[in-house]
Amino acid sequence: MTTVAVIGCTHAGTFAIKSILEQHPDWQVEVFERNDTISFLSCGIALWVGEHVSDPKRMFYSSPEELTEAGAHMHMRHEVTNVDIKRMTLTAKDLTNGTERRHGFDKLVITTGSVPAKPSIQGLDELMASGHVMLCKDYEDGKRIVDRSKRIKSVIVVGGGYIGSELAEQFSTRGIKTTLVDALPHVLDHNYDSVVTDAANKAFEEHDVTLAMGQKVIAFRSATGSDGVEDSGVTVVTELGEYTADFAIMGVGLVPNTRLVSSQLNTLGYGAIIVDEYMRASNPEGEILENVFAAGDCATTRFNPTGTNEYQPFATNAIHQAGLIGANIEHPTVAYMGTQATSAVQLYDLSMASTGMTLDLALRRHKDVTATTIEEDYRPDFMLSTTPVRATLVWEKGSGRILGAQFASRHDISMAANAVSIAIQAGFTIDQLAGTDMLFQPNFDQPINFINSLAMAAVSERNGQ
Ligand SMILES: Cc1cc2nc3c(=O)[nH]c(=O)nc-3n(C[C@H](O)[C@H](O)[C@H](O)COP(=O)(O)OP(=O)(O)OC[C@H]3O[C@@H](n4cnc5c(N)ncnc54)[C@H](O)[C@@H]3O)c2cc1C
């Protein structure tokens, strides 16, 4: 019988296990997970902080029991401490009683995910040890942050990406004085150009969030908190100033958790396991390993706008990649379609959604790119209500190929990013998107849907009109 070892069981692990057992119900699937839960939706942590979660237990969509019933052998609270890919063995430590055991396998699935980036900054380790600075990744982090948020009057969130921005939004709606710090010049810099994030800055300012953008954190210091007690708070020191609060969160991104295998496999510079279109890893010489697979935050994705291997840690990518492992674990059969890193965020009543490359990123990678931006009401103004959509389309000047798009509005524009994601995936040009059939009905949109309108504006710009 074929034995498969799966290391890690959140999104990629759960989907890989289900897909393997669907295709090979008679195989032995041994799952090692260091936590006692699986499939936690970290995307709900900020909503949990803001008291928008009915029951935190519902933030899990699977359970060890469900996977056991499907046929997996679940080794919960087991941490894999060593992997030998040449010998096809691993060592797992039972975190309940401290015992270690070696396991052999025929096929290995690595779904060890990511860990929050923790830059080497003076005072950070000490302040983390005392609980005044926390990271935000898993269920335990979520519990700690929610618990702490009930006892604080002020908070500093370091990192203005999706994770930090969502946390800052939710803290501020609870009346907690919030400061958002980032070294980059504007919030959500990786996924949005400033022409779109202006609206996010405004939304934060309207909710009294102090934005400290363009300033790198250089130290953390213990401070007197709002209760007046010495050492009950934290000061975050940046290149440009100092900010003091009761508590701070580091949300400066995710890095691949591949320490166990990175010297045995071909990885990108920062440790993401390079996988081919069938999710197979390769050895450091670049030779495909037919029996070693990786998916999710520990692996690379193919970023369609560039066609290159990139690191894009999203649950969406983890699920798509891992869902292919069952079909490919015996023979390479179904290829991964790649990603546009399509993503969204809601800040107060502002919806923002993005797909593909920002102009900023495209200019750093391409020579000949431009962006077209429009702002127009999403539906006719004879309706009793309507609201503007700001949209930007990033495209290649010569070919007209679409590379990315971003949208911001008080209207729900999340599906617009999904629509342009399909266009990028299909290799559409601005002319093709301008001519794509889209519905018109006054409840929903204008006679020319704003996505068509955006592409038409790009065509006009290219034609010099
Ligand atoms: C606050 C937050 C909000 C997010 N919001 C979104 C969102 O809205 N949309 C979106 O698409 N993505 C979002 N993400 C990203 C998303 O959570 C990740 O992309 C996703 O969790 C990746 O899943 P994964 O299974 O690959 O890795 P992980 O979730 O990192 O899971 C890895 C698993 O492996 C286990 N493990 C690791 N090492 C070992 C070992 N040695 N032994 C045993 N077990 C091990 C870990 O305990 C863990 O369970 C968010 C992330 C965070 C932190």
Side-chain angles (χ1 to χ4, degrees):
M1 190 202 289
T2 303
T3 300
V4 185
V6 180
I7 314 174
C9 194
T10 295
H11 303 308
T14 302
F15 276 80
I17 294 157
K18 286 185 176 178
S19 76
I20 294 165
L21 287 166
E22 263 168 37
Q23 305 271 337
H24 304 283
D26 53 332
W27 283 15
Q28 185 164 333
V29 178
E30 303 286 340
V31 182
F32 301 89
E33 168 54 55
R34 65 181 168 208
N35 292 328
D36 54 8
T37 54
I38 65 167
S39 76
F40 177 64
L41 288 159
S42 324
C43 52
I45 295 178
L47 293 163
W48 190 7
V49 167
E51 299 178 331
H52 298 290
V53 167
S54 56
D55 177 359
K57 292 200 181 72
R58 300 180 75 165
M59 294 165 78
F60 300 88
Y61 55 82
S62 185
S63 64
E65 293 75 27
E66 188 200 20
L67 296 188
T68 302
E69 207 163 297
H73 294 109
M74 303 298 290
H75 303 267
M76 299 306 295
R77 288 197 40 78
H78 275 67
E79 171 146 20
V80 175
T81 52
N82 185 54
V83 177
D84 188 331
I85 286 177
K86 281 211 173 93
R87 293 198 172 84
M88 297 296 256
T89 60
L90 62 80
T91 308
K93 182 174 182 178
D94 183 338
L95 298 177
T96 310
N97 59 24
T99 56
E100 284 201 322
R101 221 191 106 193
R102 228 156 67 125
H103 301 257
F105 49 82
D106 305 303
K107 292 178 185 283
L108 176 64
V109 176
I110 307 162
T111 44
T112 47
S114 58
V115 286
K118 196 165 82 60
S120 159
I121 299 176
Q122 190 194 331
L124 177 58
D125 287 338
E126 293 83 335
L127 271 292
M128 278 185 62
S130 65
H132 289 98
V133 181
M134 290 184 191
L135 302 173
C136 178
K137 177 79 202 314
D138 59 17
Y139 181 54
E140 294 304 320
D141 294 336
K143 274 202 292 197
R144 277 191 289 269
I145 292 169
V146 169
D147 183 52
R148 194 86 162 95
S149 70
K150 291 179 182 145
R151 293 177 282 116
I152 56 169
K153 292 206 172 89
S154 54
V155 66
I156 298 162
V157 179
V158 181
Y162 277 132
I163 295 172
S165 294
E166 287 181 340
L167 283 167
E169 182 227 6
Q170 292 298 332
F171 280 123
S172 70
T173 57
R174 289 195 51 190
I176 296 169
K177 190 178 168 323
T178 305
T179 303
L180 183 59
V181 183
D182 201 301
L184 294 170
H186 59 81
V187 295
L188 301 165
D189 193 276
H190 288 305
N191 300 88
Y192 299 86
D193 287 301
S194 54
V195 70
V196 175
T197 53
D198 285 353
N201 290 342
K202 207 162 152 248
F204 276 128
E205 278 156 16
E206 280 168 6
H207 290 82
D208 293 327
V209 174
T210 303
L211 292 179
M213 294 293 119
Q215 37 193 300
K216 201 170 161 192
V217 174
I218 51 174
F220 288 85
R221 275 203 317 258
S222 187
T224 301
S226 57
D227 55 5
V229 176
E230 212 180 313
D231 294 337
S232 68
V234 53
T235 294
V236 175
V237 184
T238 75
E239 290 160 323
L240 298 180
E242 293 192 5
Y243 305 88
T244 296
D246 294 331
F247 169 56
I249 296 190
M250 278 295 280
V252 294
L254 301 172
V255 290
N257 175 27
T258 55
R259 191 182 41 81
L260 278 175
V261 291
S262 54
S263 63
Q264 305 171 61
L265 298 175
N266 193 14
T267 60
L268 276 189
Y270 39 85
I273 301 165
I274 297 176
V275 287
D276 72 355
E277 58 196 326
Y278 302 107
M279 299 299 113
R280 296 176 300 186
S282 45
N283 66 16
E285 290 73 47
E287 291 156 358
I288 295 292
L289 297 169
E290 304 285 343
N291 293 317
V292 181
F293 298 79
D297 280 14
C298 64
T300 57
T301 55
R302 194 190 69 234
F303 188 48
N304 287 327
T306 56
T308 50
N309 282 325
E310 308 264 333
Y311 188 58
Q312 305 277 4
F314 285 107
T316 46
N317 296 335
I319 287 165
H320 283 299
Q321 290 187 317
L324 296 176
I325 291 182
N328 293 321
I329 197 158
E330 199 164 21
H331 307 290
T333 311
V334 184
Y336 176 53
M337 289 170 67
T339 179
Q340 282 72 246
T342 308
S343 49
V345 66
Q346 172 97 30
L347 299 173
Y348 311 101
D349 61 351
L350 180 71
S351 300
M352 298 176 69
S354 160
T355 186
M357 300 170 101
T358 60
L359 177 63
D360 197 32
L361 176 64
L363 285 170
R364 278 187 265 132
R365 302 271 183 99
H366 289 248
K367 289 191 190 74
D368 212 18
V369 291
T370 188
T372 302
T373 301
I374 62 163
E375 183 165 302
E376 62 182 42
D377 288 347
Y378 82 95
R379 65 181 184 180
D381 59 11
F382 71 72
M383 298 293 290
L384 296 181
S385 70
T386 185
T387 192
V389 174
R390 178 167 282 216
T392 190
L393 191 67
V394 182
W395 49 281
E396 242 168 22
K397 279 187 191 157
S399 66
R401 191 166 73 95
I402 297 165
L403 299 174
Q406 302 142 50
F407 301 88
S409 178
R410 256 95 203 161
H411 174 60
D412 175 2
I413 40 63
S414 52
M415 285 301 150
N418 284 341
V420 181
S421 172
I422 298 170
I424 299 172
Q425 180 105 43
F428 264 32
T429 62
I430 50 174
D431 306 85
Q432 287 170 310
L433 186 61
T436 297
D437 175 41
M438 294 196 187
L439 67 88
F440 162 53
Q441 207 286 331
N443 282 296
F444 302 108
D445 63 353
Q446 303 265 12
I448 300 175
N449 181 283
F450 61 84
I451 303 172
N452 284 146
S453 183
L454 177 63
M456 285 173 180
V459 171
S460 297
E461 253 177 52
R462 188 204 48 210
N463 296 344
Q465 289 156 359

